[in-house]
């Protein structure tokens, strides 16, 4: 069991790969986007708050997101390991997650990053919009989400790269191929000598 993150720009296939990796490794996959969408659908106070940001492609404020993640990670199924999908996306969230982990004397084993070029992502997401009708999959919102990824989340990737736990995988192959590459990279990182924090 291990504590892992999966990162990548919108449309890079994070959710799909998270499900597959979670099955192969037997760890729970936790997607902040899915939790927010379930709350929006259920009309909960958290959903009503999150919706204000999600429809425009903005980040839900850290104060809301951090608390939600803390609660989710304290549940039994995440005690021994987890694969977090979509969190952290800001350096403040990295610090917050570090605090949660340190309190339990835990640390992250691997951070996966799926890479992809922007134009391919836009066309994938426009295709998804036609199939699923997700309310944040229209071109101007998609471009805004990509811009936020570059402005804020690439700094998060750089932090983890500095700790020697980043595994980059090209997310543009077929679903099976990407999963195979990811599994190989997880092994590489977990078997490399620890470089500490
Ligand atoms: P994507 O990465 O394709 O944009 P997600 O399903 O991961 O989609 O997230 C959907 C939306 O949920 C984001 O655009 C954002 O509004 C919100 N969200 C998810 N995770 C976070 C987070 N860690 N911090 C802030 N907002 C988040």
């Amino acid at each position: 069991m291990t504590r892992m993150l999966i990162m990548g720009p919108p449309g890079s296939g994070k959710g799909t790969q998270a499900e597959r990796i979670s099955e192969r490794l037997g760890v729970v996959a936790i997607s902040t986007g899915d939790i927010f969408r379930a709350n929006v659908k259920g009309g909960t106070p958290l959903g009503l708050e999150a919706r204000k940001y999600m429809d425009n492609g903005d980040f839900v404020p850290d104060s809301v997101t951090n608390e939600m993640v803390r609660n989710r990670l304290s549940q039994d199924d995440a005690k021994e390991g987890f694969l977090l999908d979509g969190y952290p996306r800001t350096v403040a969230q990295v610090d917050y997650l570090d605090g949660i982990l340190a309190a339990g004397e835990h640390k992250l084993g691997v951070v996966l990053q799926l890479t992809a070029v922007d134009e391919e992502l836009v066309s994938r997401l426009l295709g998804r919009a036609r199939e699923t009708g997700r309310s944040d999959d229209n071109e101007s919102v998609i471009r805004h989400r990509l811009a936020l990824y570059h402005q804020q989340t690439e700094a998060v990737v750089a932090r983890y790269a500095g700790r020697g736990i980043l595994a980059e995988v090209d997310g543009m192959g077929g679903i099976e191929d990407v999963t195979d590459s990811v599994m190989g990279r997880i092994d590489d990182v977990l078997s490399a000598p620890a470089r500490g924090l």
Side-chain angles (χ1 to χ4, degrees):
M1 290 288 234
T2 182
R3 293 173 178 81
M4 310 182 1
L5 311 179
I6 185 162
M7 306 189 53
S12 58
K14 288 189 308 281
T16 305
Q17 294 301 330
E19 288 303 326
R20 297 169 63 84
I21 299 160
S22 132
E23 247 169 58
R24 292 211 194 176
L25 295 178
V27 290
V28 63
I30 298 173
S31 156
T32 45
D34 283 353
I35 298 175
F36 283 134
R37 275 185 292 277
N39 277 277
V40 168
K41 210 169 160 200
T44 68
L46 175 65
L48 292 175
E49 178 66 15
R51 177 164 214 161
K52 297 190 220 158
Y53 303 93
M54 294 172 77
D55 283 349
N56 299 324
D58 286 321
F59 290 160
V60 177
D62 286 348
S63 54
V64 175
T65 307
N66 285 338
E67 183 70 16
M68 178 183 88
V69 170
R70 174 189 290 281
N71 289 335
R72 182 63 188 86
L73 291 183
S74 70
Q75 290 172 21
D76 277 351
D77 61 349
K79 287 256 155 68
E80 303 298 323
F82 55 76
L83 171 58
L84 255 182
D85 159 8
Y87 181 94
R89 288 182 201 217
T90 64
V91 290
Q93 292 181 6
V94 173
D95 292 337
Y96 192 84
L97 179 61
D98 283 344
I100 297 177
L101 291 169
E105 294 184 13
H106 297 131
K107 58 183 189 180
L108 291 172
V110 190
V111 176
L112 294 163
Q113 192 208 5
L114 297 180
T115 59
V117 289
D118 282 8
E119 288 315 310
E120 177 67 26
L121 294 167
V122 173
S123 71
R124 275 191 181 192
L125 288 167
L126 289 174
R128 182 169 85 185
R130 283 187 287 274
E131 284 161 25
T132 69
R134 224 175 90 167
S135 58
D136 57 351
D137 280 347
N138 66 67
E139 186 158 358
S140 67
V141 173
I142 288 168
R143 291 200 182 274
H144 180 58
R145 280 155 59 210
L146 275 172
L148 273 185
Y149 184 83
H150 293 306
Q151 287 160 14
Q152 306 228 23
T153 310
E154 278 174 0
V156 172
V157 175
R159 282 266 197 114
Y160 292 123
R163 297 181 190 180
I165 54 171
L166 187 72
E168 271 186 286
V169 176
D170 180 358
M172 291 292 97
I175 290 176
E176 309 272 340
D177 291 343
V178 174
T179 309
D180 289 342
S181 312
V182 165
M183 296 304 296
R185 296 289 287 116
I186 292 174
D187 282 345
D188 294 344
V189 173
L190 289 180
S191 59
R195 277 204 247 158
L197 275 188

